[in-house]
Amino acid sequence: MRRHPGFGRGLHPSVTRSAAIYGCSGHRLTEDEKAFFADAQPWGFIVFRRNVDSPEQMRALTDEMRDCVGEADAPVLIDQEGGRVQRMGPPHWPKYPPAEAYLKATNDPLAARELVRLGARLMAHDLRSVGVNVDCAPVLDVPVPGAHDIIGDRAWARHPETVATLGRAAAEGLLAGGVLPVIKHMPGHGRAFADSHHDLPVVHADLATLDSWDFAPFRALSDMPLAMTAHVVFDAVDPKRPATTSRKAVRLMREGLGFVGLIMTDDLSMKALSGSLRERAEASLKAGCDVVLHCNGDLREMRETAEGVGRLKGKAEKRATAALARIVREPEPFDPFEARDRLDALMAGKLEAARGPDVGEAQA
């Protein structure tokens, strides 16, 4: 596949980044955005549907973002799960099924595992070709009956063991294609009865139940490089604060779940959080998050967020460096056309017609 010209050529490694990830407003950066990013020096960027037009435009945008911070390996994130959460789609990129569709297509977790890895490997091919090197996926939340549908079909299954199995397959497919996965929403959003985009969910389950069910997939994937927090209150952990701003919750992620990678917040502009954006950023970093995330591209809000964000340093900086070191420079050999045909056929249930070489053996 075509190798993005920026990958592998750090320009100014001595410059310390700030502990933030920011979005932008449109298809290209404005002059004010360029000036802000050059001054703020965020660790990374995130793109949304409003920022996506064509492959050529996306390559230009991601190059502009990296030029602002003088770092050709700077993380550029996207939410590309498939289903209703897919920022890059038709006509330039294929539509992918929601997470739950893979198990439904096979009715077998082991068969679904291979299918999930194939789909994630294809997504990585799409993303890397336009300069995106981090995907905010897989979702490791385990929905329970009656929970809010904000997770719904974004979940791989309704049992933690299967969620962990398929979530790992997705993460491995992304990693094989040169894209870092972000496990989310740690330590679990599946039991929430509210959408944290609009309200603050409070979960009342006891710690033993949470540990064996909600937290289990995150413990199983604790070796992943990046994780995103849940704006959810777990009153068995900390009845006063959502996990994003709770020192007790972040300690649980580190010590109880064994997660050693970089922890980023979910979007600070979501209504589940209270206080000013500066206060939200300060509270998140004080709680132990490594990096804050602000997504909506509002320059005034980004400037306010930046007031509460310091430089990446100490353990957070080491975790950020270690995460980027997980990006493979040469993705596994891969034929995207054959792989896409296989995925479409398998999702349609045409197993015999779709059998072919393993995705890792197909030559570019």
Side-chain angles (χ1 to χ4, degrees):
M1 70 170 279
R2 175 183 179 272
R3 183 173 179 173
H4 189 269
F7 290 160
R9 295 187 296 106
L11 302 181
H12 300 295
S14 62
V15 176
T16 303
R17 308 289 165 219
S18 64
I21 299 167
Y22 296 120
C24 66
S25 59
H27 292 162
R28 299 292 293 269
L29 297 184
T30 67
E31 291 305 312
D32 285 344
E33 287 170 340
K34 290 178 181 179
F36 169 72
F37 294 144
D39 180 61
Q41 288 288 304
W43 182 66
F45 303 90
I46 188 166
V47 294
F48 278 78
R49 186 68 189 89
R50 66 178 181 273
N51 308 123
V52 176
D53 180 38
S54 68
E56 295 75 21
Q57 169 269 325
M58 281 287 288
R59 282 191 289 269
L61 176 62
T62 56
D63 283 345
E64 279 185 335
M65 288 172 162
R66 292 185 169 106
D67 286 345
C68 287
V69 296
E71 178 54 73
D73 284 341
V76 178
L77 292 69
I78 197 169
D79 291 289
Q80 190 80 344
E81 300 173 14
R84 55 194 161 110
V85 181
Q86 179 172 338
R87 313 308 187 195
M88 290 165 47
H92 298 292
W93 299 276
K95 188 170 180 61
Y96 289 91
E100 74 170 16
Y102 292 90
L103 187 57
K104 286 185 174 181
T106 60
N107 199 33
D108 176 2
L110 294 181
R113 181 177 63 183
E114 302 307 314
L115 196 53
V116 167
R117 188 188 189 281
L118 179 62
R121 180 65 183 85
L122 276 161
M123 284 188 189
H125 173 81
D126 296 343
L127 300 180
R128 185 179 169 88
S129 69
V130 296
V132 176
N133 57 0
V134 182
D135 190 4
C136 296
V139 170
L140 297 185
D141 306 313
V142 189
V144 299
H148 194 282
D149 194 46
I150 186 60
I151 300 302
D153 64 359
R154 298 166 65 191
W156 301 103
R158 297 298 188 268
H159 190 278
E161 183 176 345
T162 307
V163 168
T165 297
L166 301 186
R168 178 167 293 280
E172 290 176 350
L174 291 170
L175 284 166
V179 173
L180 295 181
V182 180
I183 59 173
K184 63 184 187 184
H185 306 82
M186 194 161 67
H189 204 301
R191 197 176 294 272
F193 287 81
D195 178 357
S196 55
H197 291 85
H198 305 292
D199 301 287
L200 176 60
V202 179
V203 170
H204 301 293
D206 62 83
L207 191 57
T209 298
L210 292 170
D211 191 63
S212 64
W213 194 268
D214 305 65
F215 301 167
F218 295 94
R219 182 182 295 107
L221 272 77
S222 62
D223 59 316
M224 288 297 127
L226 303 165
M228 179 184 292
T229 64
H231 295 334
V232 175
V233 171
F234 298 89
D235 61 10
V237 178
D238 186 342
K240 296 181 179 180
R241 299 174 185 83
T244 301
T245 58
S246 168
R247 186 171 294 179
K248 293 177 181 178
V250 175
R251 186 185 306 122
L252 178 143
M253 297 174 201
R254 294 292 186 201
E255 299 176 4
L257 306 185
F259 186 74
V260 298
L262 181 139
I263 297 177
M264 69 181 72
T265 71
D266 203 344
D267 183 10
L268 291 185
S269 63
M270 290 164 62
K271 295 180 180 178
L273 300 183
S274 60
S276 69
L277 286 165
R278 175 176 181 165
E279 291 168 339
R280 297 177 189 191
E282 289 175 339
S284 301
L285 296 171
K286 185 178 180 180
C289 293
D290 298 309
V291 173
V292 301
L293 175 65
H294 183 277
C295 295
N296 67 20
D298 184 307
L299 187 55
R300 179 192 61 80
E301 289 193 10
M302 289 191 286
R303 286 173 173 151
E304 182 182 345
T305 301
E307 292 175 358
V309 177
R311 297 295 173 182
L312 264 177
K313 59 185 179 179
K315 292 181 180 179
E317 184 179 21
K318 290 179 180 178
R319 286 190 281 259
T321 300
L324 293 183
R326 296 281 298 274
I327 300 176
V328 298
R329 300 303 174 186
E330 293 293 340
E332 67 180 10
F334 183 69
D335 181 342
F337 300 104
E338 182 273 341
R340 185 72 213 186
D341 287 345
R342 285 184 66 206
L343 180 66
D344 290 343
L346 286 163
M347 292 305 296
K350 301 174 183 176
L351 299 175
E352 291 296 327
R355 284 178 181 162
D358 181 79
V359 65
E361 298 174 351
Q363 298 300 310

